[in-house]
Amino acid sequence: MIIMDEKQLRKSFIDPVLEWARANQKPKELRLAKGLEAASEAAAEPEEMPFVVPQQFTGKDYITMLLHVDAEIEHGLMLQYLYSAYSIGGPQIPEKYRERVHNWKNIILGIAKEEMGHFISVQNVLKIIGAPLNFGRESYPWDVPFYPFPFTLEKFTLRSLAKYVYAEAPAEWLSSDDPVAKEINKTVHAQASDPHTVGALFKVLLQLIQDPDVISDDAFQPGTYPYQAKFDEWGRGYTGGDRGSAKDNKFTKSPDVLVAPLLSRDDAYNALEQIAEQGEGDELDSDTPSHFERFLFIYNDFKAILKETGGKFDPAYNVATNPFAGDPDHAGTASNEPADEMEQNEITTEDGILWANLFDTRYRLLLNFLAHSFLLDNGNNNVGSFTPRGLIINSTFGEMYNLRSLATILVQTPLSKKGKLMAGPPFTSPYSFDLPFGEHNRWRLHRDLLVASGNLIENLKALKNQPHSQYLNALQEIDRKLLEAIAQLMQAELA
């Protein structure tokens, strides 16, 4: 008897979406044609068959599964974009190109912030339909058909950038005669045997969620509104590119973070439609270009510099691929850097292991804070001059800044003794993404992670010639104040 594991089972549930998308894909000419004649031809085309939910699911349950897949994709892409952006820099970049490279970094960081907005917005959709939220990710979810390519934390190169262009590209562009599209296809297919875009996923989600016969009106629960993420809490002014780094360039005028609370079916549909459009939209005259357009802009600019320099141009630190913290007992051992084709690189320097573990602890703290925010409203257990929800959201942003600071340190920390590779942030998945039952226990978990972080900080400060003592001292002080607030909340829960 053949027994499928969980991943194989989920793949079997998702494959019908891709089969449906292939069967209903209209010719490119009909989708791009302009004018009355083209519209008449399009109208004469038979309507595509609606997607039918597999019989072992209810409509709501199937939508929930697809939203879970989308959340994992948004999470995974966000981390890969962050890793790529963090790797950009170094003294090897010629002075004349530094501003352009700096703009690339800011563009990619802006896209990653927008992916964070997508990740949060998907949780809002799950919240309003009364489904479990999903803050997790698969480290290597290649078995999921919608995942664009194998999850890889790697330095910024033209080769890795091609994958990001591909993942966000409209299907019409990828199948066009554009020479850059052909080049991207060739590069990506050389790295992955069956790469994907996520267009089919959104097409099915949008069809299903607007159909009352698939998911009934009473599934949408406006009473969840106080617990959903809202732009005034999470947007931080990131709208319409207002906080972009270069106002004279539409590609650097970003990000435009989408976080919309939902009250109805229409709200949920619009939120998903906006996420899809922000990813692969191809309106070239838009004031806020899509992720696809921004990545394509960087790709072409990168190629232009390579042409000027005869191919001798590297805009990134020499960081490891898929780094992970090694065994502290083996710290300081001889270099054991794998060849470039290896999937992972072990961090073996003493300081590198400590910084990597500190990074992973703060990454887990961020995810816990984010998950906790969806269990609180502004009137829940107010303590003194602050609310638990406000404290959690501010702390989440604090961890975003901490991860950027820690990543900056790690991309300049050697992977191993006498080695040439730098470490890089590992983004190790926590052993669990679930929060404990009860408010008291959730605050206790946050406290425990801060205590663990404090131990790592003390070990880092104890290293000889520690160049980052000022940052570590500042982090300790921030944590001390947060621990005091958590202690008040835990005491209030017990009162």
Side-chain angles (χ1 to χ4, degrees), residues 30 36 64 67 73 87 136 146-147 197 260 277 308 381 427 441 495:
L30 288 178
L36 199 56
T64 297
L67 288 169
I73 291 173
S87 75
F146 292 120
Y147 207 89
T197 63
E277 180 63 25
E308 290 176 17
N381 297 328
F427 284 109
N441 291 325

Side-chain angles (χ1 to χ4, degrees), residues 57-78:
F57 289 88
T58 64
K60 176 187 169 184
D61 194 30
Y62 197 71
I63 288 171
T64 297
M65 185 186 68
L66 295 182
L67 288 169
H68 273 225
V69 171
D70 181 45
E72 291 174 13
I73 291 173
E74 306 292 356
H75 192 171
L77 289 176
M78 175 181 67

